[in-house]
Amino acid sequence: MVRLRRRRRRALRRSDRVTVTDPRSIISEQSVHRTTLDNGLTVLVRRDATAPVVAIVTYVKAGYFDETDDVAGIAHVLEHMYFKGTARRGVGEISQATRAAGGFLNAGTIYDHTSYYTVLPSSSFLTGLDIQADAYANSLIDGGELRKELEVIVQEARRKEDSPGAVCVETLYEVLHDRHRMRRWRIGRADALRRLTRDDVSTFYRAFYRPSNTILAIVGDVDPDAAVRAVADAYGHMPNGTAPRSRGPREPHHADLRFRELAGDITQTQIALGWRTPDSLHDDTPSLEMAAMVLGTGRASRLYRTVRERALAASIGAFDYTPTELGVFVIHADGPPETSGEALRAVWSELDDVRSGGVTEDELFRARRLLEARFTRQLETMEGQANHLAAWEALGDWRLGMAHLDRQLSVTPRVLTGAASRWLDPAACGVVVYRPARAPSLAADAAQLRALLDAPPAVPVAGAAPAPEPIASPSRARRAELERREGDVSVYRTTNGVPVLVRRKRGAPLVHVAAHVQGGATDEPAAAAGVTSLMVRTALKGTALRDASRIAGDAELLGGSIAPSVGAESFGWSMSVPTARAADALALLADVAQHAAIPATALDTERAVAIADLELLRDDMYRWPLRLLAQTAFAGHPYGVPASGDETTLRGIDPGQVRDWHRDRCLHGPLVIAIVGDVDPDDAAREVA
């Protein structure tokens, strides 16, 4: 493994575009075979022999934007009916046949497309292709099955209405759009769904499920020429034709601050701010995507440090979403109602700083590192590669994806500021607040909201995080001895008895490292339930060498983040980074696991966020019943005590208890280190030691 020297790390931080693992090298232009059949079907095939599997993605350019108002939700209904049988395969047999071939299948519908995908052993490729072709071309859409499935979809729609986050964000889309179909509740409403007929669904199916409106992407351990011949045999008989594309009225220009406040039977407040932004291929889109990363991606991001780290919200993030022809830039937070006004002011101040040129080159360097790793992570699986190829081919050419990455990595602070000033205009913002019915209203109208937003925040903006200085390399004196090899896993043991498991995965662009300790929620005293969860979270907030900002910054400069985990019988931390940065990731993980300082102020913040998370859990109509079920099923047993604890136990845990728990359970508990990636096992074990 290659260790990044500290001198070089400083040089890298100053550079505009440097990458240790170039994600663009994962898919070369020569490796993708593009073919268009006579009937218009676009076929993309890429051979990837790193694993004996193949992914088949059927990407149909038809989604919610293609629905007229009277059949809103029909694209999603058709997605469900896709698996309900053909003349050759009855109800349930499509999924059964896929499982019998060793694979799985799934699907998803969104504004601009519907995607069906299956992943199978490469030896079952022809079987999987035959199943996909049959479902695509010959879905029966039986009337009786449709009536039953509509009730399933109605319940799905109602569950979505019970999701405060979904209600808040989709209401924001409605607030931002007067005419465009983006304004609609995308899954459809119960009454309208029940009115859909077999003729409605069949008409949509025959109109849009045409070869000329479809991309078939195949990635895996298959021969490209043989795969194309098989596709021609399976799909070539289907008739040609043009889909009747009409995506409804365009959105007229308007630049006014829009505000809507909702109240309901929820426990925490949801906040969403948004702007209309340009389409996927617009020159400003890469800059807006990088602005979203600077603001809301990772623990070193501005909004995380300004809002979440100050316990103004339990979670916060930002994104610029561009479903083909338009975009929306969204900041979404949830947390206690009593701090929601201050959270809004803090977000507004950070946005003002970004528009005013406050973004630094160091911030963009961090965002580039995260982007490179995210891109690499997406392409790590056959399914991820196939979806990537299909999505960009739908925009005109699969190679646009790599060109778009280049544009993102080329964004400068000046260019980002220009795009943010053009598109994130305070006067054109939409704001939605969804609060508990018991909480007071934040504002009576848009004018009162603007006054609240423009008031100085109680806490200053976090601004750009300072660039970290290098830390001396740890001692390299200890060793790890090889005990045995089991299959492709090498088992080592350090001189102080820690087992180290290394699995070499040749060709993998990322390395995954984890430290897990036996013990967890089942070991906790009833009065201190949740102490393990607080410990693993607060360990990220400071060590003997690093404060919270430094831990987050170092992780994100490596292209990853440290993920804490706690269960009934184990806890730990894990991380994935580009392979060449594995040594530095191990050093960072070791620092967090072994030298956690558990600062009292950080523990107070994590406790407040943990309590807010528990309140949010009560708003989740899926997870909350499961929690109640587990508590009832295991009443009196440690499995019945949630790993998160409860409000009473969390409030009673002090920093001394958490530090003692870390010393006794982590430093002296049964620990295992695991590494998976394209690393030399002996070198990896030495790094661990």
Side-chain angles (χ1 to χ4, degrees), residues 181-228:
R181 289 172 179 171
M182 190 83 173
R183 75 188 190 284
R184 301 181 310 202
W185 184 253
R186 67 186 182 209
I187 201 171
R189 301 289 187 179
D191 291 345
L193 288 168
R194 287 196 174 104
R195 287 195 296 268
L196 294 175
T197 66
R198 181 186 184 278
D199 285 346
D200 293 330
V201 180
S202 294
T203 299
F204 191 87
Y205 174 45
R206 295 304 170 192
F208 292 102
Y209 281 55
R210 297 173 179 263
S212 60
N213 199 44
T214 303
I215 297 158
L216 191 69
I218 298 166
V219 177
D221 192 9
V222 294
D223 176 76
D225 293 334
V228 171

Short mmCIF file of all heavy atoms in Angstrom, two decimals, residues 181-228:
data_model
loop_
_atom_site.label_atom_id
_atom_site.label_comp_id
_atom_site.label_asym_id
_atom_site.label_seq_id
_atom_site.Cartn_x
_atom_site.Cartn_y
_atom_site.Cartn_z
N ARG A 181 -44.93 19.95 -14.10
CA ARG A 181 -45.39 18.73 -13.43
C ARG A 181 -44.57 18.36 -12.20
O ARG A 181 -44.96 17.49 -11.42
CB ARG A 181 -45.38 17.57 -14.44
CG ARG A 181 -46.49 17.72 -15.48
CD ARG A 181 -46.39 16.71 -16.60
NE ARG A 181 -47.49 16.88 -17.55
CZ ARG A 181 -47.58 16.27 -18.72
NH1 ARG A 181 -46.62 15.44 -19.10
NH2 ARG A 181 -48.61 16.49 -19.51
N MET A 182 -43.46 19.06 -11.99
CA MET A 182 -42.68 18.87 -10.77
C MET A 182 -43.51 19.24 -9.53
O MET A 182 -43.20 18.81 -8.42
CB MET A 182 -41.42 19.74 -10.83
CG MET A 182 -40.40 19.48 -9.75
SD MET A 182 -39.35 18.08 -10.20
CE MET A 182 -38.14 18.12 -8.89
N ARG A 183 -44.58 20.01 -9.72
CA ARG A 183 -45.36 20.48 -8.58
C ARG A 183 -46.19 19.36 -7.95
O ARG A 183 -46.68 19.51 -6.82
CB ARG A 183 -46.31 21.60 -9.04
CG ARG A 183 -47.50 21.09 -9.83
CD ARG A 183 -48.36 22.18 -10.47
NE ARG A 183 -49.60 21.65 -11.01
CZ ARG A 183 -49.72 20.97 -12.13
NH1 ARG A 183 -48.65 20.73 -12.87
NH2 ARG A 183 -50.89 20.53 -12.54
N ARG A 184 -46.38 18.24 -8.65
CA ARG A 184 -47.34 17.23 -8.21
C ARG A 184 -46.74 16.27 -7.19
O ARG A 184 -45.54 16.00 -7.20
CB ARG A 184 -47.86 16.42 -9.41
CG ARG A 184 -48.54 17.27 -10.46
CD ARG A 184 -49.06 16.43 -11.61
NE ARG A 184 -48.07 15.52 -12.16
CZ ARG A 184 -48.13 15.03 -13.39
NH1 ARG A 184 -49.14 15.33 -14.17
NH2 ARG A 184 -47.20 14.21 -13.82
N TRP A 185 -47.59 15.72 -6.34
CA TRP A 185 -47.23 14.62 -5.44
C TRP A 185 -46.95 13.41 -6.33
O TRP A 185 -47.84 12.85 -6.95
CB TRP A 185 -48.39 14.36 -4.49
CG TRP A 185 -48.17 13.33 -3.44
CD1 TRP A 185 -48.71 12.07 -3.41
CD2 TRP A 185 -47.39 13.44 -2.25
NE1 TRP A 185 -48.31 11.41 -2.28
CE2 TRP A 185 -47.50 12.22 -1.54
CE3 TRP A 185 -46.59 14.46 -1.70
CZ2 TRP A 185 -46.86 11.99 -0.33
CZ3 TRP A 185 -45.95 14.23 -0.51
CH2 TRP A 185 -46.09 13.01 0.17
N ARG A 186 -45.69 13.03 -6.41
CA ARG A 186 -45.28 12.24 -7.56
C ARG A 186 -45.83 10.81 -7.58
O ARG A 186 -45.99 10.22 -8.64
CB ARG A 186 -43.75 12.20 -7.66
CG ARG A 186 -43.05 11.47 -6.55
CD ARG A 186 -41.55 11.61 -6.68
NE ARG A 186 -40.85 10.87 -5.65
CZ ARG A 186 -39.67 11.21 -5.17
NH1 ARG A 186 -39.08 12.30 -5.60
NH2 ARG A 186 -39.09 10.48 -4.25
N ILE A 187 -46.13 10.23 -6.46
CA ILE A 187 -46.60 8.84 -6.45
C ILE A 187 -48.08 8.74 -6.77
O ILE A 187 -48.61 7.67 -7.04
CB ILE A 187 -46.28 8.18 -5.09
CG1 ILE A 187 -46.27 6.65 -5.22
CG2 ILE A 187 -47.24 8.62 -4.01
CD1 ILE A 187 -45.76 5.95 -3.97
N GLY A 188 -48.79 9.87 -6.76
CA GLY A 188 -50.23 9.87 -6.99
C GLY A 188 -51.00 9.82 -5.68
O GLY A 188 -50.49 9.39 -4.65
N ARG A 189 -52.25 10.25 -5.73
CA ARG A 189 -53.14 10.24 -4.56
C ARG A 189 -54.12 9.08 -4.67
O ARG A 189 -54.43 8.61 -5.76
CB ARG A 189 -53.89 11.56 -4.45
CG ARG A 189 -52.99 12.79 -4.33
CD ARG A 189 -52.31 12.87 -2.99
NE ARG A 189 -51.58 14.12 -2.82
CZ ARG A 189 -50.91 14.45 -1.72
NH1 ARG A 189 -50.88 13.62 -0.69
NH2 ARG A 189 -50.26 15.60 -1.64
N ALA A 190 -54.63 8.66 -3.52
CA ALA A 190 -55.42 7.44 -3.45
C ALA A 190 -56.61 7.45 -4.40
O ALA A 190 -56.83 6.49 -5.16
CB ALA A 190 -55.89 7.20 -2.02
N ASP A 191 -57.41 8.50 -4.40
CA ASP A 191 -58.62 8.52 -5.22
C ASP A 191 -58.28 8.43 -6.70
O ASP A 191 -58.93 7.68 -7.46
CB ASP A 191 -59.43 9.80 -4.94
CG ASP A 191 -60.05 9.79 -3.55
OD1 ASP A 191 -60.10 8.71 -2.94
OD2 ASP A 191 -60.48 10.88 -3.09
N ALA A 192 -57.29 9.20 -7.13
CA ALA A 192 -56.92 9.19 -8.54
C ALA A 192 -56.32 7.84 -8.95
O ALA A 192 -56.58 7.34 -10.06
CB ALA A 192 -55.94 10.31 -8.84
N LEU A 193 -55.54 7.25 -8.07
CA LEU A 193 -54.95 5.94 -8.38
C LEU A 193 -56.04 4.89 -8.57
O LEU A 193 -55.97 4.06 -9.48
CB LEU A 193 -54.00 5.52 -7.25
CG LEU A 193 -52.68 6.29 -7.17
CD1 LEU A 193 -51.96 5.98 -5.87
CD2 LEU A 193 -51.78 5.93 -8.36
N ARG A 194 -57.05 4.93 -7.72
CA ARG A 194 -58.11 3.92 -7.82
C ARG A 194 -58.93 4.07 -9.11
O ARG A 194 -59.59 3.13 -9.54
CB ARG A 194 -59.03 4.01 -6.59
CG ARG A 194 -58.40 3.47 -5.32
CD ARG A 194 -59.46 3.22 -4.26
NE ARG A 194 -58.89 2.57 -3.09
CZ ARG A 194 -58.63 3.18 -1.93
NH1 ARG A 194 -58.89 4.48 -1.80
NH2 ARG A 194 -58.12 2.52 -0.91
N ARG A 195 -58.90 5.25 -9.71
CA ARG A 195 -59.65 5.47 -10.95
C ARG A 195 -58.93 4.94 -12.19
O ARG A 195 -59.51 4.86 -13.27
CB ARG A 195 -59.95 6.96 -11.14
CG ARG A 195 -61.02 7.50 -10.20
CD ARG A 195 -61.53 8.85 -10.67
NE ARG A 195 -60.50 9.86 -10.66
CZ ARG A 195 -60.25 10.67 -9.62
NH1 ARG A 195 -60.96 10.56 -8.50
NH2 ARG A 195 -59.30 11.59 -9.69
N LEU A 196 -57.66 4.59 -12.05
CA LEU A 196 -56.91 4.10 -13.20
C LEU A 196 -57.46 2.75 -13.67
O LEU A 196 -57.80 1.89 -12.87
CB LEU A 196 -55.42 3.96 -12.85
CG LEU A 196 -54.66 5.26 -12.56
CD1 LEU A 196 -53.24 4.96 -12.12
CD2 LEU A 196 -54.66 6.18 -13.78
N THR A 197 -57.54 2.58 -14.98
CA THR A 197 -58.06 1.35 -15.57
C THR A 197 -56.96 0.60 -16.30
O THR A 197 -55.87 1.13 -16.55
CB THR A 197 -59.18 1.67 -16.56
OG1 THR A 197 -58.61 2.39 -17.69
CG2 THR A 197 -60.27 2.54 -15.91
N ARG A 198 -57.31 -0.62 -16.67
CA ARG A 198 -56.36 -1.41 -17.46
C ARG A 198 -56.04 -0.70 -18.77
O ARG A 198 -54.88 -0.70 -19.21
CB ARG A 198 -56.94 -2.80 -17.74
CG ARG A 198 -55.98 -3.68 -18.55
CD ARG A 198 -56.59 -5.00 -18.94
NE ARG A 198 -55.61 -5.83 -19.62
CZ ARG A 198 -55.30 -5.71 -20.92
NH1 ARG A 198 -55.93 -4.81 -21.67
NH2 ARG A 198 -54.39 -6.51 -21.45
N ASP A 199 -57.05 -0.08 -19.40
CA ASP A 199 -56.81 0.64 -20.66
C ASP A 199 -55.84 1.80 -20.45
O ASP A 199 -54.98 2.06 -21.30
CB ASP A 199 -58.13 1.16 -21.23
CG ASP A 199 -58.96 0.05 -21.85
OD1 ASP A 199 -58.41 -1.05 -22.08
OD2 ASP A 199 -60.16 0.28 -22.09
N ASP A 200 -55.98 2.52 -19.33
CA ASP A 200 -55.06 3.62 -19.04
C ASP A 200 -53.62 3.12 -18.98
O ASP A 200 -52.71 3.70 -19.60
CB ASP A 200 -55.41 4.28 -17.70
CG ASP A 200 -56.73 5.01 -17.71
OD1 ASP A 200 -57.13 5.51 -18.79
OD2 ASP A 200 -57.37 5.06 -16.64
N VAL A 201 -53.41 2.05 -18.20
CA VAL A 201 -52.06 1.54 -18.01
C VAL A 201 -51.52 0.96 -19.32
O VAL A 201 -50.35 1.17 -19.68
CB VAL A 201 -52.04 0.49 -16.89
CG1 VAL A 201 -50.62 -0.06 -16.68
CG2 VAL A 201 -52.56 1.09 -15.58
N SER A 202 -52.34 0.23 -20.05
CA SER A 202 -51.90 -0.36 -21.33
C SER A 202 -51.54 0.73 -22.33
O SER A 202 -50.57 0.60 -23.08
CB SER A 202 -53.00 -1.25 -21.90
OG SER A 202 -53.21 -2.37 -21.08
N THR A 203 -52.33 1.80 -22.36
CA THR A 203 -52.04 2.90 -23.28
C THR A 203 -50.69 3.53 -22.98
O THR A 203 -49.88 3.80 -23.88
CB THR A 203 -53.15 3.96 -23.21
OG1 THR A 203 -54.39 3.37 -23.59
CG2 THR A 203 -52.84 5.14 -24.12
N PHE A 204 -50.40 3.78 -21.69
CA PHE A 204 -49.11 4.34 -21.29
C PHE A 204 -47.98 3.37 -21.64
O PHE A 204 -46.93 3.78 -22.15
CB PHE A 204 -49.13 4.64 -19.79
CG PHE A 204 -47.97 5.47 -19.31
CD1 PHE A 204 -48.01 6.85 -19.34
CD2 PHE A 204 -46.81 4.86 -18.83
CE1 PHE A 204 -46.94 7.62 -18.90
CE2 PHE A 204 -45.74 5.61 -18.39
CZ PHE A 204 -45.80 6.99 -18.42
N TYR A 205 -48.21 2.10 -21.39
CA TYR A 205 -47.22 1.06 -21.67
C TYR A 205 -46.87 1.03 -23.16
O TYR A 205 -45.69 1.07 -23.54
CB TYR A 205 -47.79 -0.27 -21.20
CG TYR A 205 -46.98 -1.51 -21.51
CD1 TYR A 205 -45.61 -1.57 -21.31
CD2 TYR A 205 -47.62 -2.66 -21.98
CE1 TYR A 205 -44.90 -2.72 -21.57
CE2 TYR A 205 -46.92 -3.82 -22.25
CZ TYR A 205 -45.56 -3.85 -22.04
OH TYR A 205 -44.85 -5.00 -22.31
N ARG A 206 -47.86 0.96 -24.00
CA ARG A 206 -47.62 0.85 -25.43
C ARG A 206 -47.03 2.14 -26.00
O ARG A 206 -46.30 2.11 -26.99
CB ARG A 206 -48.92 0.50 -26.16
CG ARG A 206 -49.48 -0.87 -25.81
CD ARG A 206 -48.47 -1.97 -26.05
NE ARG A 206 -48.89 -3.26 -25.52
CZ ARG A 206 -48.09 -4.32 -25.41
NH1 ARG A 206 -46.82 -4.22 -25.78
NH2 ARG A 206 -48.54 -5.46 -24.91
N ALA A 207 -47.35 3.27 -25.39
CA ALA A 207 -46.83 4.55 -25.89
C ALA A 207 -45.34 4.71 -25.60
O ALA A 207 -44.58 5.19 -26.45
CB ALA A 207 -47.62 5.70 -25.28
N PHE A 208 -44.92 4.32 -24.40
CA PHE A 208 -43.56 4.66 -23.96
C PHE A 208 -42.58 3.49 -23.91
O PHE A 208 -41.38 3.71 -23.97
CB PHE A 208 -43.63 5.34 -22.59
CG PHE A 208 -44.27 6.70 -22.63
CD1 PHE A 208 -45.58 6.90 -22.22
CD2 PHE A 208 -43.58 7.79 -23.12
CE1 PHE A 208 -46.17 8.14 -22.28
CE2 PHE A 208 -44.16 9.05 -23.18
CZ PHE A 208 -45.46 9.22 -22.76
N TYR A 209 -43.08 2.28 -23.77
CA TYR A 209 -42.17 1.14 -23.69
C TYR A 209 -41.86 0.66 -25.11
O TYR A 209 -42.27 -0.40 -25.55
CB TYR A 209 -42.77 0.04 -22.82
CG TYR A 209 -42.62 0.33 -21.34
CD1 TYR A 209 -43.08 1.53 -20.80
CD2 TYR A 209 -41.97 -0.55 -20.48
CE1 TYR A 209 -42.93 1.82 -19.45
CE2 TYR A 209 -41.81 -0.27 -19.13
CZ TYR A 209 -42.29 0.93 -18.63
OH TYR A 209 -42.13 1.22 -17.29
N ARG A 210 -41.13 1.51 -25.81
CA ARG A 210 -40.71 1.25 -27.18
C ARG A 210 -39.19 1.15 -27.20
O ARG A 210 -38.50 1.85 -26.45
CB ARG A 210 -41.17 2.39 -28.09
CG ARG A 210 -42.68 2.57 -28.19
CD ARG A 210 -43.00 3.82 -28.97
NE ARG A 210 -44.43 4.04 -29.12
CZ ARG A 210 -45.13 3.69 -30.20
NH1 ARG A 210 -44.51 3.08 -31.19
NH2 ARG A 210 -46.42 3.93 -30.26
N PRO A 211 -38.63 0.33 -28.08
CA PRO A 211 -37.16 0.21 -28.15
C PRO A 211 -36.47 1.55 -28.34
O PRO A 211 -35.42 1.81 -27.74
CB PRO A 211 -36.95 -0.71 -29.35
CG PRO A 211 -38.18 -1.56 -29.39
CD PRO A 211 -39.30 -0.64 -28.98
N SER A 212 -37.04 2.44 -29.15
CA SER A 212 -36.40 3.73 -29.41
C SER A 212 -36.39 4.64 -28.18
O SER A 212 -35.66 5.63 -28.15
CB SER A 212 -37.10 4.45 -30.56
OG SER A 212 -38.47 4.69 -30.22
N ASN A 213 -37.18 4.30 -27.17
CA ASN A 213 -37.28 5.09 -25.94
C ASN A 213 -36.61 4.38 -24.77
O ASN A 213 -36.85 4.73 -23.62
CB ASN A 213 -38.76 5.36 -25.61
CG ASN A 213 -38.95 6.51 -24.65
OD1 ASN A 213 -38.31 7.55 -24.80
ND2 ASN A 213 -39.81 6.34 -23.66
N THR A 214 -35.77 3.39 -25.08
CA THR A 214 -35.22 2.51 -24.05
C THR A 214 -33.73 2.30 -24.26
O THR A 214 -33.25 2.24 -25.40
CB THR A 214 -35.93 1.13 -24.09
OG1 THR A 214 -37.34 1.34 -23.93
CG2 THR A 214 -35.43 0.22 -22.99
N ILE A 215 -33.02 2.21 -23.15
CA ILE A 215 -31.59 1.90 -23.16
C ILE A 215 -31.39 0.62 -22.36
O ILE A 215 -31.91 0.49 -21.25
CB ILE A 215 -30.77 3.04 -22.55
CG1 ILE A 215 -30.92 4.31 -23.39
CG2 ILE A 215 -29.30 2.66 -22.42
CD1 ILE A 215 -30.61 5.57 -22.64
N LEU A 216 -30.68 -0.33 -22.94
CA LEU A 216 -30.34 -1.57 -22.25
C LEU A 216 -28.85 -1.54 -21.95
O LEU A 216 -28.03 -1.49 -22.87
CB LEU A 216 -30.70 -2.77 -23.12
CG LEU A 216 -30.63 -4.14 -22.44
CD1 LEU A 216 -31.76 -4.28 -21.40
CD2 LEU A 216 -30.72 -5.27 -23.46
N ALA A 217 -28.49 -1.51 -20.67
CA ALA A 217 -27.09 -1.46 -20.25
C ALA A 217 -26.72 -2.77 -19.57
O ALA A 217 -27.41 -3.21 -18.65
CB ALA A 217 -26.84 -0.28 -19.32
N ILE A 218 -25.63 -3.39 -20.02
CA ILE A 218 -25.19 -4.69 -19.51
C ILE A 218 -23.74 -4.56 -19.10
O ILE A 218 -22.89 -4.17 -19.91
CB ILE A 218 -25.34 -5.78 -20.59
CG1 ILE A 218 -26.81 -5.93 -21.00
CG2 ILE A 218 -24.78 -7.11 -20.10
CD1 ILE A 218 -27.01 -6.73 -22.28
N VAL A 219 -23.45 -4.85 -17.84
CA VAL A 219 -22.07 -4.79 -17.34
C VAL A 219 -21.79 -6.05 -16.53
O VAL A 219 -22.59 -6.42 -15.66
CB VAL A 219 -21.84 -3.55 -16.46
CG1 VAL A 219 -20.42 -3.55 -15.89
CG2 VAL A 219 -22.08 -2.27 -17.26
N GLY A 220 -20.68 -6.70 -16.83
CA GLY A 220 -20.32 -7.88 -16.05
C GLY A 220 -19.37 -8.78 -16.82
O GLY A 220 -18.81 -8.40 -17.86
N ASP A 221 -19.23 -9.98 -16.33
CA ASP A 221 -18.28 -10.94 -16.91
C ASP A 221 -18.93 -11.65 -18.09
O ASP A 221 -19.26 -12.84 -18.03
CB ASP A 221 -17.85 -11.93 -15.84
CG ASP A 221 -16.66 -12.77 -16.28
OD1 ASP A 221 -16.09 -12.45 -17.34
OD2 ASP A 221 -16.31 -13.74 -15.57
N VAL A 222 -19.16 -10.88 -19.17
CA VAL A 222 -19.76 -11.42 -20.38
C VAL A 222 -18.95 -10.93 -21.58
O VAL A 222 -18.32 -9.88 -21.54
CB VAL A 222 -21.23 -10.97 -20.54
CG1 VAL A 222 -22.10 -11.58 -19.45
CG2 VAL A 222 -21.36 -9.45 -20.54
N ASP A 223 -19.01 -11.69 -22.66
CA ASP A 223 -18.36 -11.28 -23.90
C ASP A 223 -19.25 -10.26 -24.60
O ASP A 223 -20.42 -10.54 -24.89
CB ASP A 223 -18.15 -12.49 -24.80
CG ASP A 223 -17.58 -12.09 -26.14
OD1 ASP A 223 -16.37 -11.80 -26.20
OD2 ASP A 223 -18.35 -12.04 -27.13
N PRO A 224 -18.75 -9.05 -24.89
CA PRO A 224 -19.60 -8.01 -25.47
C PRO A 224 -20.25 -8.41 -26.79
O PRO A 224 -21.44 -8.16 -27.00
CB PRO A 224 -18.65 -6.82 -25.63
CG PRO A 224 -17.61 -7.03 -24.58
CD PRO A 224 -17.41 -8.51 -24.52
N ASP A 225 -19.49 -9.01 -27.70
CA ASP A 225 -20.06 -9.38 -28.99
C ASP A 225 -21.16 -10.42 -28.83
O ASP A 225 -22.22 -10.32 -29.46
CB ASP A 225 -18.96 -9.91 -29.92
CG ASP A 225 -17.97 -8.82 -30.31
OD1 ASP A 225 -18.35 -7.64 -30.31
OD2 ASP A 225 -16.80 -9.16 -30.61
N ALA A 226 -20.91 -11.42 -28.00
CA ALA A 226 -21.93 -12.45 -27.77
C ALA A 226 -23.15 -11.84 -27.09
O ALA A 226 -24.30 -12.22 -27.38
CB ALA A 226 -21.35 -13.57 -26.92
N ALA A 227 -22.92 -10.87 -26.19
CA ALA A 227 -24.04 -10.24 -25.49
C ALA A 227 -24.91 -9.45 -26.47
O ALA A 227 -26.15 -9.50 -26.42
CB ALA A 227 -23.52 -9.32 -24.39
N VAL A 228 -24.28 -8.72 -27.39
CA VAL A 228 -25.04 -7.95 -28.38
C VAL A 228 -25.86 -8.89 -29.27
O VAL A 228 -27.03 -8.61 -29.60
CB VAL A 228 -24.11 -7.06 -29.22
CG1 VAL A 228 -24.86 -6.44 -30.39
CG2 VAL A 228 -23.50 -5.96 -28.35
#
